[in-house]
CSV table of all heavy atoms in Angstrom, one decimal:
chain,number,residue,atom,x,y,z
A,1,ASN,N,16.0,-9.2,-15.5
A,1,ASN,CA,16.5,-8.2,-14.6
A,1,ASN,C,15.4,-7.6,-13.8
A,1,ASN,O,14.5,-6.9,-14.3
A,1,ASN,CB,17.3,-7.2,-15.4
A,1,ASN,CG,18.1,-6.2,-14.5
A,1,ASN,OD1,18.2,-6.5,-13.2
A,1,ASN,ND2,18.7,-5.2,-15.0
A,2,SER,N,15.5,-7.7,-12.5
A,2,SER,CA,14.4,-7.2,-11.6
A,2,SER,C,14.7,-5.7,-11.2
A,2,SER,O,13.7,-5.1,-10.7
A,2,SER,CB,14.4,-8.0,-10.3
A,2,SER,OG,15.6,-8.0,-9.6
A,3,SER,N,15.8,-5.2,-11.5
A,3,SER,CA,16.1,-3.8,-11.1
A,3,SER,C,15.6,-2.8,-12.2
A,3,SER,O,15.3,-3.2,-13.3
A,3,SER,CB,17.6,-3.5,-11.0
A,3,SER,OG,18.2,-3.8,-12.2
A,4,ILE,N,15.3,-1.6,-11.7
A,4,ILE,CA,14.7,-0.6,-12.6
A,4,ILE,C,15.8,0.4,-12.9
A,4,ILE,O,16.4,1.0,-12.0
A,4,ILE,CB,13.4,0.1,-11.9
A,4,ILE,CG1,12.4,-1.0,-11.7
A,4,ILE,CG2,12.9,1.2,-12.8
A,4,ILE,CD1,11.1,-0.5,-11.0
A,5,SER,N,16.0,0.7,-14.1
A,5,SER,CA,17.1,1.6,-14.5
A,5,SER,C,16.8,3.0,-14.4
A,5,SER,O,17.7,3.8,-14.5
A,5,SER,CB,17.6,1.2,-16.0
A,5,SER,OG,16.4,1.4,-16.9
A,6,PHE,N,15.6,3.4,-14.2
A,6,PHE,CA,15.2,4.8,-14.1
A,6,PHE,C,15.4,5.3,-12.7
A,6,PHE,O,15.0,4.7,-11.7
A,6,PHE,CB,13.7,5.0,-14.5
A,6,PHE,CG,13.4,4.4,-15.9
A,6,PHE,CD1,12.2,3.7,-16.0
A,6,PHE,CD2,14.3,4.5,-16.9
A,6,PHE,CE1,11.8,3.1,-17.2
A,6,PHE,CE2,13.9,3.9,-18.1
A,6,PHE,CZ,12.7,3.3,-18.3
A,7,PRO,N,16.0,6.6,-12.5
A,7,PRO,CA,16.2,7.0,-11.2
A,7,PRO,C,14.9,7.5,-10.6
A,7,PRO,O,14.7,7.4,-9.3
A,7,PRO,CB,17.2,8.2,-11.4
A,7,PRO,CG,17.0,8.6,-12.8
A,7,PRO,CD,16.7,7.4,-13.6
A,8,GLN,N,14.0,8.0,-11.4
A,8,GLN,CA,12.7,8.4,-10.9
A,8,GLN,C,11.6,7.9,-11.8
A,8,GLN,O,11.7,8.0,-13.0
A,8,GLN,CB,12.5,9.9,-10.8
A,8,GLN,CG,13.5,10.6,-9.8
A,8,GLN,CD,13.4,12.1,-9.8
A,8,GLN,OE1,13.5,12.8,-10.9
A,8,GLN,NE2,13.2,12.7,-8.7
A,9,TYR,N,10.6,7.3,-11.2
A,9,TYR,CA,9.6,6.6,-12.0
A,9,TYR,C,8.3,6.5,-11.3
A,9,TYR,O,8.2,6.5,-10.0
A,9,TYR,CB,10.1,5.1,-12.5
A,9,TYR,CG,10.4,4.3,-11.3
A,9,TYR,CD1,9.5,3.5,-10.8
A,9,TYR,CD2,11.7,4.3,-10.9
A,9,TYR,CE1,9.8,2.6,-9.7
A,9,TYR,CE2,12.1,3.4,-9.8
A,9,TYR,CZ,11.1,2.6,-9.3
A,9,TYR,OH,11.4,1.8,-8.2
A,10,ASP,N,7.2,6.2,-12.0
A,10,ASP,CA,5.9,5.9,-11.5
A,10,ASP,C,5.7,4.4,-11.9
A,10,ASP,O,6.0,4.0,-13.0
A,10,ASP,CB,4.8,6.7,-12.1
A,10,ASP,CG,4.8,8.1,-11.5
A,10,ASP,OD1,5.3,8.2,-10.3
A,10,ASP,OD2,4.3,9.1,-12.1
A,11,LYS,N,5.0,3.7,-11.1
A,11,LYS,CA,4.7,2.3,-11.3
A,11,LYS,C,3.1,2.1,-11.3
A,11,LYS,O,2.5,2.5,-10.3
A,11,LYS,CB,5.3,1.4,-10.3
A,11,LYS,CG,5.1,-0.1,-10.5
A,11,LYS,CD,5.6,-1.0,-9.4
A,11,LYS,CE,7.1,-1.0,-9.5
A,11,LYS,NZ,7.7,-1.9,-8.4
A,12,ILE,N,2.6,1.6,-12.4
A,12,ILE,CA,1.2,1.4,-12.6
A,12,ILE,C,1.0,-0.1,-12.7
A,12,ILE,O,1.6,-0.8,-13.5
A,12,ILE,CB,0.6,2.1,-13.8
A,12,ILE,CG1,0.9,3.6,-13.8
A,12,ILE,CG2,-0.9,1.8,-13.9
A,12,ILE,CD1,0.5,4.3,-15.1
A,13,SER,N,0.2,-0.7,-11.8
A,13,SER,CA,0.0,-2.1,-11.8
A,13,SER,C,-1.5,-2.5,-12.1
A,13,SER,O,-2.4,-1.8,-11.7
A,13,SER,CB,0.3,-2.7,-10.3
A,13,SER,OG,1.6,-2.5,-10.0
A,14,SER,N,-1.6,-3.5,-12.9
A,14,SER,CA,-3.0,-4.0,-13.2
A,14,SER,C,-2.9,-5.6,-13.0
A,14,SER,O,-1.9,-6.2,-13.3
A,14,SER,CB,-3.3,-3.7,-14.7
A,14,SER,OG,-3.3,-2.3,-14.9
A,15,THR,N,-4.0,-6.1,-12.5
A,15,THR,CA,-4.1,-7.5,-12.2
A,15,THR,C,-5.4,-8.1,-12.7
A,15,THR,O,-6.4,-7.5,-12.5
A,15,THR,CB,-4.0,-7.8,-10.6
A,15,THR,OG1,-2.8,-7.2,-10.1
A,15,THR,CG2,-3.9,-9.3,-10.4
A,16,TRP,N,-5.2,-9.2,-13.4
A,16,TRP,CA,-6.5,-10.0,-13.9
A,16,TRP,C,-6.5,-11.3,-13.2
A,16,TRP,O,-5.6,-12.1,-13.4
A,16,TRP,CB,-6.3,-10.2,-15.4
A,16,TRP,CG,-6.4,-8.9,-16.2
A,16,TRP,CD1,-7.5,-8.2,-16.6
A,16,TRP,CD2,-5.2,-8.1,-16.6
A,16,TRP,NE1,-7.2,-7.1,-17.3
A,16,TRP,CE2,-5.7,-6.9,-17.3
A,16,TRP,CE3,-3.9,-8.2,-16.4
A,16,TRP,CZ2,-5.0,-6.0,-17.9
A,16,TRP,CZ3,-3.1,-7.2,-17.0
A,16,TRP,CH2,-3.6,-6.2,-17.6
A,17,THR,N,-7.5,-11.5,-12.4
A,17,THR,CA,-7.7,-12.7,-11.6
A,17,THR,C,-8.6,-13.6,-12.3
A,17,THR,O,-9.7,-13.3,-12.7
A,17,THR,CB,-8.1,-12.4,-10.2
A,17,THR,OG1,-7.2,-11.4,-9.6
A,17,THR,CG2,-8.2,-13.6,-9.3
A,18,LEU,N,-8.3,-15.0,-12.3
A,18,LEU,CA,-9.2,-16.0,-12.8
A,18,LEU,C,-10.3,-16.2,-11.9
A,18,LEU,O,-10.1,-16.4,-10.8
A,18,LEU,CB,-8.4,-17.3,-13.1
A,18,LEU,CG,-9.2,-18.5,-13.6
A,18,LEU,CD1,-9.7,-18.2,-15.0
A,18,LEU,CD2,-8.3,-19.7,-13.7
A,19,SER,N,-11.6,-16.1,-12.4
A,19,SER,CA,-12.8,-16.4,-11.6
A,19,SER,C,-13.6,-17.4,-12.3
A,19,SER,O,-13.7,-17.5,-13.6
A,19,SER,CB,-13.6,-15.1,-11.5
A,19,SER,OG,-12.8,-14.0,-10.9
A,20,LEU,N,-14.3,-18.2,-11.5
A,20,LEU,CA,-15.1,-19.3,-12.0
A,20,LEU,C,-16.5,-18.6,-12.4
A,20,LEU,O,-16.8,-17.5,-11.9
A,20,LEU,CB,-15.4,-20.4,-11.0
A,20,LEU,CG,-14.1,-21.2,-10.6
A,20,LEU,CD1,-14.4,-22.2,-9.6
A,20,LEU,CD2,-13.5,-21.8,-11.8
A,21,PRO,N,-17.4,-19.3,-13.2
A,21,PRO,CA,-18.7,-18.7,-13.5
A,21,PRO,C,-19.5,-18.3,-12.3
A,21,PRO,O,-20.3,-17.3,-12.4
A,21,PRO,CB,-19.3,-19.8,-14.3
A,21,PRO,CG,-18.2,-20.6,-14.9
A,21,PRO,CD,-17.1,-20.5,-13.9
A,22,GLY,N,-19.4,-18.9,-11.2
A,22,GLY,CA,-20.2,-18.6,-10.0
A,22,GLY,C,-19.7,-17.4,-9.3
A,22,GLY,O,-20.3,-17.0,-8.3
A,23,GLY,N,-18.6,-16.8,-9.7
A,23,GLY,CA,-17.9,-15.6,-9.0
A,23,GLY,C,-16.8,-16.0,-8.1
A,23,GLY,O,-16.2,-15.1,-7.5
A,24,GLN,N,-16.5,-17.3,-7.9
A,24,GLN,CA,-15.4,-17.7,-7.1
A,24,GLN,C,-14.0,-17.4,-7.7
A,24,GLN,O,-13.8,-17.9,-8.8
A,24,GLN,CB,-15.5,-19.3,-6.8
A,24,GLN,CG,-14.4,-19.8,-5.9
A,24,GLN,CD,-14.6,-19.3,-4.5
A,24,GLN,OE1,-15.7,-19.2,-3.9
A,24,GLN,NE2,-13.4,-18.8,-3.9
A,25,THR,N,-13.2,-16.7,-7.0
A,25,THR,CA,-11.9,-16.4,-7.5
A,25,THR,C,-10.9,-17.5,-7.3
A,25,THR,O,-11.0,-18.2,-6.3
A,25,THR,CB,-11.4,-15.1,-6.9
A,25,THR,OG1,-11.3,-15.3,-5.4
A,25,THR,CG2,-12.3,-13.9,-7.1
A,26,MET,N,-10.1,-17.7,-8.2
A,26,MET,CA,-9.1,-18.7,-8.1
A,26,MET,C,-7.7,-18.2,-7.8
A,26,MET,O,-7.4,-16.9,-8.1
A,26,MET,CB,-9.0,-19.6,-9.4
A,26,MET,CG,-10.3,-20.2,-9.8
A,26,MET,SD,-10.8,-21.4,-8.6
A,26,MET,CE,-9.5,-22.7,-8.8
A,27,PRO,N,-6.8,-18.9,-7.2
A,27,PRO,CA,-5.4,-18.4,-6.9
A,27,PRO,C,-4.5,-18.3,-8.1
A,27,PRO,O,-3.4,-18.8,-8.1
A,27,PRO,CB,-4.9,-19.4,-5.8
A,27,PRO,CG,-5.5,-20.7,-6.2
A,27,PRO,CD,-7.0,-20.3,-6.7
């Protein structure tokens, strides 16, 4: 379910991106 049941809410997002040893980020 993509809907949020709370009438009022805060959203905190965290993202971990895959990176190669040389620092190149992957999609």
Side-chain angles (χ1 to χ4, degrees):
N1 189 6
S2 61
S3 62
I4 299 176
S5 57
F6 307 138
Q8 294 177 309
Y9 57 88
D10 283 338
K11 182 184 293 185
I12 304 173
S13 300
S14 302
T15 304
W16 295 271
T17 303
L18 177 63
S19 301
L20 297 179
Q24 180 67 45
T25 59
M26 301 298 292

